[in-house]
Amino acid sequence: MKLGIFAKTFDGDDPETVLKAVATAGFVCAQYNMACSGLPSMPEDISAAQARAVSDAADASGVEVIAVSGTYNMIHPDRAIRAVGQAKLEVIARNCAGMSTRLITLCTGTRDPVDQWKEHPDNNTPEAWRDLLEAMETAVGIADRYDVDLGIEPELANVVNSAAKARRLIDEIKSPRIKVVLDPANLFEIASLEEQRALVSGAIDLLADGIVMAHAKDRNPDGSFGTAGKGVLDYGHYLGRLKSIGFEGSLITHGLSAGEAPGVSTFLKGHLQDGVAL
């Protein structure tokens, strides 16, 4: 597995500064965000020079840009807002080759009109699922045009709120463009160790053929998110299960401060060093 981090963890509005900080903290790859180029996370335009600067910074720092964020609310209750997000997704996709990456991470969305990461009771309705299918068909069309893949992530607050929902989406869309980003801390809030292990194992078994990236954060005992290695998540179990399915993608940590990054790098390397190339 390759060990990486959200590039946005580090301050900076140019890719060279940010990706050098990624390397200094002990990581070999990054999930990029266009904010690290001094742009909005979902910009209306990216110039060829701005895209090339990301690729050049990756080469100079030795940090691979494993993915770029393309998150917008795919099931926003306002169809016009969804359309704006789709247009910006195409901007990202059009520039992936210039940034030397082929994976865009998505947010499957929520009916909450303000916060795309906030749970809403209508997320589980047939109408929400219908809108997600429509949005994903559009996104797959964009991905086909620019030869990129799309990473969906089961998140409790979104319409794809479980591994089973992710499996259902993949099976219904039937496109090889749809991949899985797995974050075990997004599968539960408060759970016993036995329940947590069962959820993580079940998700990995169900989604094994589609997992291209794994995330690494944690849950505190009260259910809030925490820094990897400082909460209740059983990392030995999680990473052991990934190894058991032959996962050789990237393990990307996030939800931490820049100051915590070197320590998290050391923690994760400690779990990965047993016969796993970093």
Side-chain angles (χ1 to χ4, degrees):
M1 297 183 209
K2 293 178 285 190
L3 188 58
I5 192 169
F6 272 24
K8 201 178 176 182
T9 304
F10 302 96
D11 290 335
D13 58 6
D14 70 276
E16 183 177 0
T17 297
V18 173
L19 294 183
K20 280 184 178 179
V22 169
T24 298
F27 299 92
V28 300
C29 60
Q31 184 172 330
Y32 200 74
N33 188 297
M34 296 313 299
C36 300
S37 292
L39 298 170
S41 294
M42 293 289 283
E44 294 182 358
D45 185 51
I46 301 170
S47 70
Q50 288 168 325
R52 188 170 57 253
V54 177
S55 181
D56 289 347
D59 289 342
S61 63
V63 172
E64 181 181 1
V65 175
I66 206 72
V68 60
S69 174
T71 58
Y72 67 99
N73 191 343
M74 298 186 82
I75 63 160
H76 193 285
D78 186 333
R79 182 175 290 273
I81 292 177
R82 277 182 251 162
V84 170
Q86 290 165 355
K88 292 179 178 179
L89 175 65
E90 183 146 12
V91 170
I92 296 282
R94 186 185 305 124
N95 286 280
C96 277
M99 293 187 282
S100 298
T101 191
R102 292 191 63 253
L103 179 65
I104 302 173
T105 56
L106 301 179
C107 167
T108 59
T110 175
R111 287 301 204 206
D112 187 275
V114 178
D115 185 350
Q116 69 182 4
W117 308 110
K118 186 176 180 181
E119 190 173 8
H120 191 281
D122 289 345
N123 287 355
N124 292 311
T125 62
E127 292 78 15
W129 190 257
R130 176 203 65 206
D131 287 347
L132 177 63
L133 292 179
E134 180 181 305
M136 285 301 306
E137 291 284 5
T138 298
V140 166
I142 292 169
D144 284 339
R145 281 197 291 279
Y146 298 103
D147 191 22
V148 296
D149 291 331
L150 306 170
I152 61 166
E153 182 175 355
E155 305 216 21
L156 294 178
N158 285 167
V159 62
V160 173
N161 55 13
S162 66
K165 284 276 193 77
R167 183 77 261 169
R168 177 184 171 190
L169 181 63
I170 291 168
D171 292 344
E172 291 188 17
I173 296 293
K174 296 182 175 65
S175 169
R177 297 291 180 188
I178 302 179
K179 308 297 184 182
V180 175
V181 177
L182 186 68
D183 188 333
N186 285 341
L187 301 175
F188 69 95
E189 288 184 340
I190 298 175
S192 69
L193 186 59
E194 183 179 349
E195 290 168 336
Q196 175 202 136
R197 288 173 174 169
L199 278 169
V200 172
S201 291
I204 290 172
D205 289 342
L206 189 61
L207 301 171
D209 60 342
I211 300 173
V212 294
M213 181 190 296
H215 276 175
K217 60 177 186 289
D218 221 319
R219 284 282 186 180
N220 295 315
D222 65 0
S224 60
F225 287 124
T227 300
K230 297 185 177 181
V232 301
L233 185 68
D234 185 344
Y235 266 91
H237 174 77
Y238 169 44
L239 297 178
R241 291 294 292 112
L242 286 176
K243 292 176 190 178
S244 74
I245 64 166
F247 177 73
E248 296 180 344
S250 300
L251 179 67
I252 306 290
T253 190
H254 68 108
L256 70 165
S257 69
E260 292 175 306
V264 171
S265 173
T266 299
F267 167 75
L268 293 174
K269 285 176 180 176
H271 278 280
L272 291 174
Q273 64 187 0
D274 183 18
V276 178
L278 297 175

